[in-house]
Amino acid sequence: MMLRSWLLSLSLAGNWDGTPPAPTVHVSIDSSRHELTVTSGPYNLPNMPPMEDHAMMDLGMSHDTPLQRFAWPVEGWFRGFRVELVDGQGRPVPPHVMHHMVMVNFSRRQLLYSAAERLMGTGTETEEVSVPKTIGVPMKPGMQLGMYVAWHNDTGRDLDGVHLKLVMLWTPKNQNPQPVNALPIYMDVNLTVGGQNTYDVPPGKSTRAYEFTLPVGGRLLGVGGHMHDYGTRVWLEDVQSGKVLTQVTAERDAEGKLVKVSRKLFGVSGDGLRLKPNRRYRVVGEYDNPTGEMRPMGAMASMVGLFVPDDMRRWPSIDPRDPIYRRDLASLEVRGASSSMSGNAQGSDAEGGPPSHGLHSSEAGDAPGEEDGSVSQPHSGHDSHE
Ligand SMILES: [Cu+2]
């Protein structure tokens, strides 16, 4: 493709003094295929030792990139994506080298949290993810997006001049009938916006919960979840009745380590799972830790999904003066500030920031095709590891 060769020629040129050029982001539109291609790079990724478990991501065992900003250029509905990686010679790079990637939408707030929307995220798998054309995330030209990537190159050799090509699919505004607005929703049992969402796991069975109300009712089309080792399930319940509305469960190996978290679809064309405005809901994460020892900051638990609001006009708007919102922005600004340093405090600090959700490509070990790409494959509630 022309775009790729153009970018490659740029990256191969490097800088006159021999230092690698700073990564840039480039956006191109294919309006006949309704695809937006976001190309980012070059990234020079020295080989690193393999990670024993995903908690190591929290210890800075990755290369976090700074946020790369661009404006969404078209009117329509975002409905899916795919990712490709190539090195400086144009050779394909194994997909798992991109540990995770998160897309932030600075032009819209999250439903529960005073924090910027996490439009999409992806883990180490890069299969195409998309939802049916009957639904989509509403997007306007000029929406301010920013993406960041955590790299972990354990291929055994240094990778230079790596470029990431993210193809974002959209449905044009003249589609008839118009897609239903479906937006990412993120429910974490222990989030401090702009801070951490990890917490300690005591021995044996334990739960942690977060209560919330929604400013606008709507329906959940599907949910997924994110947990760490020894997690068992995340559920959503109605506080007043105590009724469990939905849950995702962890598949664990013989030692209780996480294999994957299940997902649930309520039917894209059906009614979904109804949530009412101003009613108390509780998201609960459960762990069962057989090691007999406390696992400090070993847990995360969240449920993510796609939510169809009854009235888009009642979606909460951004309050730029809100200190919580500002903390979220600040945590995104420092991301990758000392990138390519392993073990830096910055990396671990920024790690628990509010998480990615929305359209996600994978939870650890998601069976490909399990849901036939029919709805969001919500994945980690946060932006670190797996
Ligand atoms: Cu996690």
Side-chain angles (χ1 to χ4, degrees):
M1 237 183 110
M2 251 174 73
L3 171 66
R4 186 187 292 173
S5 47
W6 176 76
L7 282 158
L8 282 177
S9 62
L10 266 188
S11 72
L12 290 172
N15 285 359
W16 295 342
D17 62 2
T19 57
T24 58
V25 62
H26 176 87
V27 179
S28 69
I29 307 175
D30 183 335
S31 28
S32 57
R33 302 180 63 169
H34 304 124
E35 289 184 355
L36 193 73
T37 301
V38 182
T39 311
S40 162
Y43 298 102
N44 293 333
L45 312 172
N47 183 56
M48 296 177 98
M51 285 180 289
E52 273 164 30
D53 62 61
H54 66 220
M56 288 174 79
M57 289 301 287
D58 283 338
L59 302 172
M61 290 290 289
S62 68
H63 292 245
D64 275 2
T65 66
L67 206 62
Q68 294 203 287
R69 292 169 179 272
F70 62 95
W72 177 268
V74 293
E75 175 122 31
W77 287 263
F78 169 58
R79 59 171 288 265
F81 65 92
R82 62 178 184 270
V83 179
E84 282 171 35
L85 304 175
V86 290
D87 70 10
Q89 279 73 51
R91 295 175 299 199
V93 167
H96 74 267
V97 166
M98 186 180 79
H99 201 271
H100 62 256
M101 181 261 292
V102 173
M103 184 72 70
V104 183
N105 180 0
F106 291 97
S107 299
R108 188 160 47 213
R109 221 198 81 153
Q110 296 185 27
L111 186 57
L112 268 64
Y113 305 106
S114 179
E117 176 178 279
R118 270 44 170 190
L119 178 61
M120 57 166 281
T122 178
T124 52
E125 294 164 35
T126 51
E127 83 269 34
E128 177 162 328
V129 172
S130 62
V131 296
K133 286 183 177 169
T134 50
I135 63 174
V137 187
M139 301 296 290
K140 294 237 182 303
M143 277 186 153
Q144 296 299 306
L145 304 187
M147 65 186 285
Y148 61 84
V149 178
W151 299 102
H152 186 88
N153 173 13
D154 60 0
T155 59
R157 62 185 179 99
D158 295 348
L159 295 167
D160 289 325
V162 172
H163 280 86
L164 178 159
K165 195 174 101 176
L166 167 68
V167 178
M168 301 176 79
L169 320 177
W170 90 87
T171 301
K173 77 169 200 220
N174 61 7
Q175 178 181 282
N176 198 2
Q178 292 205 328
V180 169
N181 292 328
L183 286 82
I185 181 172
Y186 168 57
M187 301 165 273
D188 193 301
V189 305
N190 188 55
L191 176 66
T192 302
V193 171
Q196 298 285 338
N197 62 339
T198 49
Y199 58 96
D200 297 342
V201 191
K205 233 176 200 193
S206 61
T207 59
R208 185 171 289 249
Y210 175 70
E211 276 185 37
F212 61 92
T213 57
L214 301 175
V216 56
R219 50 202 172 94
L220 269 176
L221 297 183
V223 290
H226 180 78
M227 301 196 92
H228 290 183
D229 288 342
Y230 313 125
T232 49
R233 58 194 179 120
V234 184
W235 71 87
L236 179 65
E237 65 184 27
D238 184 301
V239 170
Q240 206 184 324
S241 68
K243 191 180 162 217
V244 174
L245 303 173
T246 186
Q247 72 170 3
V248 291
T249 54
E251 185 186 316
R252 300 155 37 121
D253 68 12
E255 278 92 53
K257 299 208 167 176
L258 188 87
V259 179
K260 68 170 182 176
V261 180
S262 70
R263 299 186 298 244
K264 227 171 211 172
L265 287 180
F266 304 112
V268 174
S269 48
D271 284 343
L273 175 67
R274 271 225 73 79
L275 298 178
K276 294 178 183 162
N278 307 315
R279 191 170 173 92
R280 291 208 78 76
Y281 295 107
R282 184 188 285 137
V283 59
V284 188
E286 182 187 70
Y287 274 74
D288 191 355
N289 169 10
T291 64
E293 283 168 16
M294 160 82 88
R295 309 261 307 171
M297 300 310 257
M300 286 187 187
S302 58
M303 189 179 273
V304 294
L306 275 181
F307 181 77
V308 177
D310 292 334
D311 183 354
M312 197 57 214
R313 289 166 304 183
R314 278 157 53 210
W315 195 268
S317 51
I318 290 172
D319 177 359
R321 287 164 309 177
D322 177 8
I324 296 173
Y325 189 79
R326 294 171 79 108
R327 219 165 53 212
D328 182 41
L329 295 190
S331 74
L332 289 166
E333 282 309 326
V334 301
R335 176 164 290 278
S338 40
S339 79
S340 58
M341 301 288 293
S342 62
N344 65 78
Q346 209 74 283
S348 56
D349 228 87
E351 204 63 70
S356 62
H357 46 245
L359 295 170
H360 286 273
S361 77
S362 65
E363 175 53 66
D366 272 348
E370 184 183 318
E371 280 160 1
D372 212 15
S374 52
V375 106
S376 85
Q377 306 185 28
H379 139 100
S380 56
H382 64 90
D383 44 25
S384 53
H385 47 254
E386 240 84 294

